[in-house]
Amino acid sequence: MGIETWIPLVLIAFVFVILILYLLRQKVDEFEVSSTLLWRELYRNIEATKPWEKLRKNLLMILQIAAFFFLMAALMHPYWSKAGDPQERLILVIDCSASMNTKYDSSATRLDAAKEKACALVDRVGLSGTVTVISSSNQGTLLLANSRDSREIKETIRSILPTSLPGSAADSLNLVQSAATQREESQIVFFTDTDLDPGMENASIVSLYRDCVNVSMDAMSCSASEEGISILVRMTNHSDQTLEREINLYGEEKLLDIQQTILPAGETVVLYFEEIPAEGNFFRAEFQEEDDLAGDNQTFCVRETSDVRRILLVTDSNLFLEKAFLLLPGVEVYRTRDLTEDWSEESGFDLYVLDGVDRSDTDSGRLPMGNLLLINSRVGGITEERERRSNPILTFSEGELTGYIANEQFGVNEASSYALPLWGKPFLTGEDFIAGYFGEYDGRRIAVMGFDLHKTDFGLQASFPVLISHLADYLLMRGLASETAICAGDLLSLNGSTSGGDLNIVRPDGNMDTLAPSALTVSYPDTETPGVYQVSQTIGEEERTQYIAVNFPSESESHVAYARDLDSEASTSEAVMEHTVDLRPYALLLLLLVLTAEWYVYVKQT
Amino acid sequence: MSELFSSDFFESLSSLKLAMHLRLEKGRSGSRKSSARGASVEFSDFREYLPGDDVRKIDWNVYGRLDRLYLKQFMEEQEATYHLFVDSSRSMDFGQEKKSVMALRIAGALSWLILGQMDRVFLHAICAEQVYSLHPGRGRSSFHNILTELEQISFSGNTDLERSVRRCQIAGRGVSIVLSDFLDVRGVDGLIRYLTFQKQEILLIQILSREELDFDEEGTLRLIDSETRDDITIAMTGQSIRLYEESMAKHQQTLMRLSRKYGCVYERVVSDEPIGRVLLERLANVGFLLRK
């Protein structure tokens, strides 16, 4: 048996108050006897003057004290863990994703309710069991392992903060399974608002889902024209009633426009703001009205810049390569068959892609400024070919340029074996040679691949456009950030120049983080808070700044679909609580019986 | 007849007579055989001659046979004297069925029997402050007066049996019957010794009320002595009542031991018992009364 709270035990001091009241109760009846001689003989053995003698055989006092004890027991909320099924290890998984910020009742969110239910469960487990606490949003995080200190456990639970991250308790299943397999007696309880099927024994779900009134701002985009900025806002009514909303449009912090719209139940509505004055680098749209989930009542978008990258493709004919570059956003591709002798007409490009060009007699110092992609090409001072290999199998090695394609292989007719320069890093290898490398040299970024694309089927593989994208990211430096709009929790890819200063990221809350630039993309993970992030880097005397909009993951979090019947035992069972018997009703019943008996005795005595 | 003595009361007496084991000294003649050897014609017994005896009583026939001198003794018929001491202290006026009523009824019954045997009865109402001796009675004709005086006895004052009895006029051998609750055992010893010195056959009849024997009050009580008005506060727990009952039993055993020590007859009656049972069973069981 356990006790949920020991605090009511301090009320035991009032028992002494009851005793004192009865001691002070001076009620001595006079009774005349023929003689007190015999009574005086036994008086020595009966010290009636001692106060506690007055308390004997006082049924009313005993009943009142018993009633007080039963009341105190009820306040202490005792419980009994069923024999034969001890909860030796309890694993609590608390969903803290964005949807848990939805209101549960008038004063608490789903996360608040989950934490209180979890704390109540900890009290029921008592000191005989251990508790492990895991928080779950887009991934599981082990907060506390195998603790028996109920105070520490509840503090850990209460310290779980709400997030704006997508995900659910399902994202922590791997971690939970890992924790549960350590001991067979583990009981797992998920506190979540999503329809979760744990697929594990001894797992139960405490559902925090409730129907709510919520309209979400799903997405926002803007485009520039001669008349000004056009902004599109998409919103969805997730409730079962038609709602009217007023939408405010801000350019940075300046109110630009207000519109009203009616959203039918369950419908998505698109709203247009046209001919908006081109003010501000980013825009924000938000609802004037509040609902049960405030996090998705606003959305952000960043004004696109006209920072277009120009690529010069030097090739006789390479359709795959040309198409691959044309698919890249923010680039303009130009093609030429050959370079002029002095490169006079070929200057001013951001990237030169040389396909099958032999300029081994050219010093790289004579090349126009711009990054280089050499495919089956030779440039003096940049490439040093040792030999040609026939029919090799080339493999992408692990590295910054080979994300998602590392260890992929393809066959070529012939490949060059390069001597790796000091500034180079290999990313493509044969059995025992280097077929491709990259690095920075002489103020420019360079990537070299030593095979002919025409003589391989690599262009037909899925890894080809991926490689081109990585090469473009590295060589083009299209912006400080690869994307201008992401969801909360997504990694922010930053492309800082190594020739510049540190990358400074200012979050929506005003705090700033600093990252060192890298030759390749730097991932910034702290995008939990929706808003506009500002990334800046000083390169020489120029300061480059870029804004990134991080939005609430409304697609997955604004409306949690719940397919199961909420009244079903599987979805709403609090299985651990079924293993304990609440003794408080019994204590209250005994209290009622004692009070009835006390009333009867009192009536009888009077 | 009064409420104390009804016709039923006297009917119960008709089947009784006193059983006496008394040797009387010289006194008035009565119908009771006396163990005193006097000048009557009825032979009683022989005893050896001692220097100084009356030589006229020497039985010469016995001398001739035994060659030793013996005196002949004769029985003497004499009137018996009874002293009835009724404790008239306030403690006797206690109980739902009052002890005083039982005492007066027993005194009346015994007076009736004594007078019927042509013996003399002296009634004394005693308490520490005074002794009230009723007019002596002899013969049934004086019974009515005795009843009238018994009814006039008031029960008040404190108890001091020995000092009270000492103030009474006791002459010659007789029977002393003490009717009291004997709650103060200290005075009983002196009482018995004094009466024994006065050559009395002693009958002690202890009268207690049912409330004194079966005390069943609850709670914390301030007990007030009916005579002295002293008080004592006691919580009536199971232990205290048990100790009281043990004390009462011990008190009775003390009385019985004193009675045996001095050759007295002792009996205890309860005030709510029927008078007929008291006389026909209680006093008959101790051999004081006989059925005809």
Side-chain angles (χ1 to χ4, degrees), chain B residues 9-269:
Chain B
F9 168 75
F10 292 106
E11 283 181 11
S12 63
L13 300 180
S14 62
S15 61
L16 294 175
K17 67 174 181 180
L18 289 171
M20 293 299 301
H21 305 280
L22 181 63
R23 296 186 176 193
L24 297 174
E25 294 179 350
K26 292 181 179 180
R28 293 186 175 88
S29 62
S31 64
R32 175 72 59 200
K33 285 186 167 55
S34 168
S35 62
R37 289 164 175 77
S40 71
V41 297
E42 189 171 353
F43 171 77
S44 172
D45 199 356
F46 291 98
R47 75 171 172 88
E48 195 167 357
Y49 173 83
L50 296 173
D53 288 334
D54 188 353
V55 297
R56 294 175 293 175
K57 294 183 180 179
I58 294 175
D59 190 329
W60 296 110
N61 291 328
V62 172
Y63 177 74
R65 290 198 298 273
L66 302 179
D67 203 20
R68 294 179 73 174
L69 294 173
Y70 283 91
L71 297 181
K72 186 183 289 184
Q73 294 180 299
F74 296 89
M75 301 295 289
E76 181 175 357
E77 291 183 354
Q78 193 173 14
E79 178 186 67
T81 302
Y82 289 82
H83 291 271
L84 294 179
F85 297 96
V86 178
D87 183 353
S88 62
S89 63
R90 183 169 169 75
S91 66
M92 289 293 291
D93 199 24
F94 179 81
Q96 188 173 5
E97 298 293 335
K98 292 187 182 297
K99 297 183 289 184
S100 57
V101 171
M102 177 59 74
L104 293 176
R105 284 180 174 171
I106 294 174
L110 293 178
S111 299
W112 170 260
L113 294 171
I114 293 169
L115 294 174
Q117 297 177 160
M118 298 304 291
D119 290 326
R120 186 180 290 269
V121 61
F122 293 87
L123 283 161
H124 313 277
I126 58 174
C127 65
E129 285 77 16
Q130 63 182 10
V131 174
Y132 176 58
S133 294
L134 283 63
H135 289 93
R138 184 173 182 230
R140 289 277 171 86
S141 59
S142 59
F143 181 66
H144 183 266
N145 293 333
I146 290 174
L147 290 184
T148 302
E149 293 194 60
L150 283 176
E151 288 177 346
Q152 291 175 355
I153 293 175
S154 63
F155 291 83
S156 61
N158 297 332
T159 303
D160 193 338
L161 292 175
E162 180 186 356
R163 190 167 66 135
S164 304
V165 170
R166 282 179 181 272
R167 283 193 259 148
C168 298
Q169 294 276 342
I170 301 175
R173 302 169 68 90
V175 177
S176 288
I177 303 169
V178 184
L179 299 164
S180 174
D181 51 16
F182 297 113
L183 291 178
D184 186 5
V185 72
R186 295 167 297 176
V188 177
D189 183 83
L191 167 70
I192 296 176
R193 292 175 62 191
Y194 175 74
L195 292 175
T196 302
F197 175 75
Q198 295 295 334
K199 298 181 177 57
Q200 299 292 300
E201 289 275 337
I202 304 171
L203 170 62
L204 303 177
I205 301 177
Q206 183 185 28
I207 304 172
L208 295 176
S209 67
R210 183 63 62 186
E211 293 83 351
E212 289 172 324
L213 290 174
D214 300 327
F215 197 89
D216 60 354
E217 297 296 324
E218 294 182 348
T220 302
L221 301 178
R222 181 178 294 116
L223 303 177
I224 300 175
D225 191 308
S226 60
E227 294 184 4
T228 65
R229 310 309 296 178
D230 292 337
D231 64 271
I232 179 173
T233 302
I234 293 180
M236 295 301 158
T237 63
Q239 180 194 17
S240 60
I241 292 178
R242 180 174 51 82
L243 288 175
Y244 170 77
E245 292 173 351
E246 290 176 359
S247 181
M248 177 65 75
K250 181 182 175 183
H251 176 71
Q252 185 182 8
Q253 289 170 2
T254 302
L255 290 174
M256 294 171 67
R257 178 172 51 81
L258 286 175
S259 301
R260 286 195 298 270
K261 177 181 177 181
Y262 293 105
C264 307
V265 176
Y266 164 81
E267 183 57 36
R268 187 184 78 179
V269 301

